[in-house]
Amino acid sequence: MSVCRQTSHHSQSQDGASSDILDERKTPDQTLSMLEVSGSGSTEDDKDVSEGRVDGKVALLEVDCYDHLGFCFPKWKKWAILSVVFAVQTSMNFNTSVYSNAVAPLSDQFKISEQAARVGQMIFLVAYAFGSELWAPWSEDYGRWPVMQLSLFLVNLWQIPCAVAPNFGTIVVGRFLGGLSSAGGSVTLGMVADMWEPDDQQHAVAFIVLSSVGGSVFGPIVGAFIQTYLTWHWIFWVQLIFGVTVQIAHFFVPETRASILIDREAKRRRRAGETNVYGPDELNPHRLTLKEIGSTWARPFKMFILEPIVLWLSLLSGFSDALIFIFLESYKPVYAQWGFNTITTGLAFIPILVGYLIAYFSFFPFIRRHQQIQSKDPDALQPEARLYWLLYTAPLETIGLFGFAWTSLGPPHVHWIAPMIFSSLIAIANYCIYMATIDYMVASYGPYSASATGGNALARDFLAGIAAMYATPFYSNVGSKYKLEYPTTILAILALLVTIPIYIFYWKGPVIRKKSRFAQTVASDRRASIALRAVTERTCSVVEGTDHD
């Protein structure tokens, strides 16, 4: 459902080890060495790389073929690819939320309680939380395209046993396997990082975040019509139709993973006569080892526990996302007071979608301002600048929850439009929290941001999955007279508490980052990366100019 796991680009070294870095290319220290290799003053180690190995093979470096990588794709091509990725991510998040409209029909069909029927939603989200992490290393080693195609194929495949299930156990197993098969943000945001440098990713990341949160809202809107006019089987058939459609669209998307493109360029050069040039994967044919896979999978959990920034911002993001799934359960009793039926209750989610769109466009002025400042001085902005807009939008979550709580009194006290307005405020805060926390982690952790945002993804999906189970009992058993108002008020108080770290990190972030070995590595490497970027931007400018001609 979330996309917060930003897949690391790990460039493989001569011994086959992989470095976990967000930007597809080498770490700054390594890239600076590449520049030295290209120049006149190379060291003995550099000489081994530039002149070849013992077997006479020469490694083709990214700086040698930068114009063939995703960073130098024309702008129209980048956004065409990203539009397909947007649809893919929307479909995966649609799968998480549309299931809520199958709860009542499944309860009737298989003679189980509605609470038991919600296990299908919970198990999918929890499996998704871990599944997106499990797919990440494979997309880094074998490429984005084959891994995403395999993921989509498996997700679509598991819809079939759910649609024709003879018993509820089949649906639970199918949903579990479907969630585990969902690559999600581990690949989609990885493709963003394949085509944009870290300082230029904000517009693309904001677009993909919109697909993630937007897909969760489309579920109950579309699901309401399915529940009303079709049988429960169509909840799964529609997911399959949507999934096959985006898989076909993705089939025509080119590979963006840099190591794969370098291999292809090396093969092209060998056909042209440079017989001793080889790509990184060709020189390291053993691919991933079990140790490397274990290290990659373990790092997000390690950072989640040991890094205060990752822990608190991930919990904030996870709590915010869980609210949407709590709303899936609270909307029915709230709007039933005004006589809303299944379809009109589903349409009541439209204000949340409106809130997401408002939040998405609200980031544009700040992104433009950051880009203008960084174009003059790349070191002018601290990572905490990425949290500035969140200082003003995060309180909307608490305000929206308090407002939603006490406009849930129903007629004749309140008009139904009132809780919808407050739900829009919650949506604005939810989007801004998701976007800003990812953006801040990318800026703070650089090469380790894939693991940092992995913790964010884990928290969002896992907490949302748990919320699917406690939401209805929460609204049914808390309070006596105000059964709808008190639960949401409790959520508002929790929202107030979990947003406090935002202000602490904004003002004390530099001090906290000084105590982090991950963040300090990024800070010490930044100057070297600026040197590389100056060279590569000139390369791309020449390529784009040629493309326009």
Side-chain angles (χ1 to χ4, degrees):
M1 189 219 40
S2 66
V3 295
C4 88
R5 169 80 155 74
Q6 227 178 103
T7 303
S8 62
H9 305 302
H10 54 274
S11 302
Q12 295 181 334
S13 61
Q14 292 293 332
D15 62 359
S18 302
S19 59
D20 181 17
I21 50 180
L22 174 68
D23 137 74
E24 162 79 6
R25 308 175 13 238
K26 304 283 186 182
T27 59
D29 285 341
Q30 291 172 311
T31 48
L32 191 57
S33 295
M34 294 178 194
L35 296 175
E36 292 171 354
V37 169
S38 301
S40 58
S42 61
T43 66
E44 286 300 316
D45 291 338
D46 295 332
K47 191 173 181 180
D48 290 339
V49 176
S50 60
E51 294 186 0
R53 311 188 312 175
V54 176
D55 57 10
K57 296 179 179 179
V58 176
L60 183 65
L61 304 176
E62 293 179 8
V63 72
D64 297 326
C65 58
Y66 191 81
D67 55 322
H68 292 278
L69 303 184
F71 301 106
C72 287
F73 284 172
K75 185 177 291 186
W76 68 265
K77 185 175 182 179
K78 290 183 179 181
W79 282 95
I81 293 171
L82 204 64
S83 296
V84 176
V85 174
F86 183 99
V88 170
Q89 189 66 48
T90 300
S91 74
M92 291 187 177
N93 289 281
F94 175 85
N95 294 346
T96 67
S97 58
V98 71
Y99 180 88
S100 63
N101 291 99
V103 169
L106 289 176
S107 176
D108 294 336
Q109 174 72 33
F110 298 115
K111 309 304 178 185
I112 57 176
S113 67
E114 291 192 3
Q115 187 67 3
R118 293 186 184 95
V119 171
Q121 184 170 19
M122 179 274 293
I123 200 70
F124 185 93
L125 281 162
V126 172
Y128 192 175
F130 293 95
S132 62
E133 300 296 322
L134 299 179
W135 283 97
W138 308 109
S139 75
E140 294 163 358
D141 208 49
Y142 292 94
R144 313 296 186 194
W145 190 91
V147 168
M148 181 59 81
Q149 279 290 309
L150 178 60
S151 170
L152 288 169
F153 173 77
L154 291 175
V155 170
N156 293 334
L157 178 66
W158 300 127
Q159 301 293 356
I160 298 174
C162 290
V164 298
N167 52 63
F168 184 66
T170 302
I171 292 177
V172 172
V173 172
R175 291 287 288 178
F176 172 77
L177 294 174
L180 204 61
S181 300
S182 299
S186 66
V187 177
T188 55
L189 275 175
M191 294 178 69
V192 169
D194 289 341
M195 296 184 288
W196 281 272
E197 295 282 1
D199 288 342
D200 297 327
Q201 290 175 5
Q202 286 177 289
H203 275 298
V205 171
F207 189 59
I208 294 302
V209 168
L210 180 63
S211 71
S212 180
V213 295
S216 300
V217 174
F218 277 124
I221 296 174
V222 175
F225 289 90
I226 299 174
Q227 183 179 352
T228 301
Y229 296 110
L230 300 169
T231 65
W232 63 266
H233 305 81
W234 281 95
I235 292 289
F236 302 103
W237 290 130
V238 169
Q239 292 178 65
L240 177 60
I241 293 169
F242 195 179
V244 169
T245 301
V246 297
Q247 183 173 5
I248 292 172
H250 180 267
F251 183 85
F252 299 99
V253 168
E255 179 61 65
T256 60
R257 171 72 180 165
S259 61
I260 304 299
L261 298 181
I262 294 172
D263 284 346
R264 292 177 181 176
E265 174 61 15
K267 292 175 183 176
R268 187 194 68 79
R269 292 190 183 191
R270 288 202 300 275
R271 289 194 298 269
E274 297 182 55
T275 57
N276 62 337
V277 175
Y278 291 82
D281 288 337
E282 293 178 301
L283 295 176
N284 298 282
H286 75 285
R287 302 284 184 171
L288 290 173
T289 65
L290 290 177
K291 182 178 179 181
E292 290 166 349
I293 294 172
S295 176
T296 301
W297 286 344
R299 188 177 291 117
F301 302 101
K302 182 178 179 181
M303 292 189 71
F304 183 81
I305 295 172
L306 299 180
E307 292 290 315
I309 291 174
V310 177
L311 174 62
W312 286 104
L313 293 186
S314 295
L315 289 176
L316 167 64
S317 185
F319 172 78
S320 183
D321 198 44
L323 289 177
I324 301 304
F325 287 86
I326 295 175
F327 278 159
L328 287 173
E329 305 302 328
S330 68
Y331 264 39
K332 183 177 180 179
V334 167
Y335 288 105
Q337 299 174 108
W338 289 281
F340 280 36
N341 58 28
T342 300
I343 290 179
T344 50
T345 300
L347 294 176
F349 282 87
I350 292 178
I352 292 181
L353 185 59
V354 172
Y356 286 151
L357 290 171
I358 292 173
Y360 169 67
F361 288 109
S362 75
F363 270 92
F364 281 26
F366 297 95
I367 294 174
R368 187 180 304 111
R369 181 171 175 268
H370 287 174
Q371 291 176 338
Q372 290 173 345
I373 293 173
Q374 288 177 323
S375 65
K376 298 176 182 177
D377 181 4
D379 284 329
L381 293 175
Q382 292 279 355
E384 286 68 34
R386 309 288 181 102
L387 295 176
Y388 178 77
W389 184 224
L390 192 56
L391 299 179
Y392 299 94
T393 54
L396 293 179
E397 186 158 76
T398 300
I399 295 171
L401 284 166
F402 270 121
F404 186 89
W406 296 101
T407 54
S408 298
L409 292 167
H413 310 286
V414 185
H415 191 273
W416 53 261
I417 195 67
M420 291 188 184
I421 292 173
F422 283 108
S423 68
S424 292
L425 297 183
I426 297 169
I428 292 172
N430 184 34
Y431 178 92
C432 290
I433 288 170
Y434 197 0
M435 170 61 188
T437 52
I438 289 179
D439 206 18
Y440 179 53
M441 289 178 186
V442 169
S444 296
Y445 292 99
Y448 307 101
S449 57
S451 297
T453 55
N456 193 315
L458 181 67
R460 288 182 69 87
D461 296 329
F462 185 81
L463 291 178
I466 298 302
M469 296 305 297
Y470 71 71
T472 297
F474 184 53
Y475 275 91
S476 301
N477 299 301
V478 174
S480 53
K481 181 179 180 181
Y482 299 105
K483 285 185 174 291
L484 297 177
E485 292 78 12
Y486 283 162
T488 309
T489 300
I490 292 173
L491 294 177
I493 295 171
L494 291 174
L496 178 63
L497 295 176
V498 298
T499 53
I500 292 175
I502 295 172
Y503 302 91
I504 296 175
F505 292 135
Y506 183 77
W507 295 109
K508 299 296 182 180
V511 176
I512 296 172
R513 284 187 289 109
K514 282 183 179 180
K515 298 178 181 179
S516 166
R517 69 178 181 88
F518 295 105
Q520 282 307 296
T521 299
V522 176
S524 64
D525 287 346
R526 184 164 179 79
R527 289 189 179 182
S529 68
I530 292 171
L532 173 69
R533 187 174 181 183
V535 174
T536 55
E537 282 186 343
R538 287 196 295 270
T539 302
C540 269
S541 296
V542 173
V543 173
E544 288 184 359
T546 304
D547 180 76
H548 290 312
D549 293 340

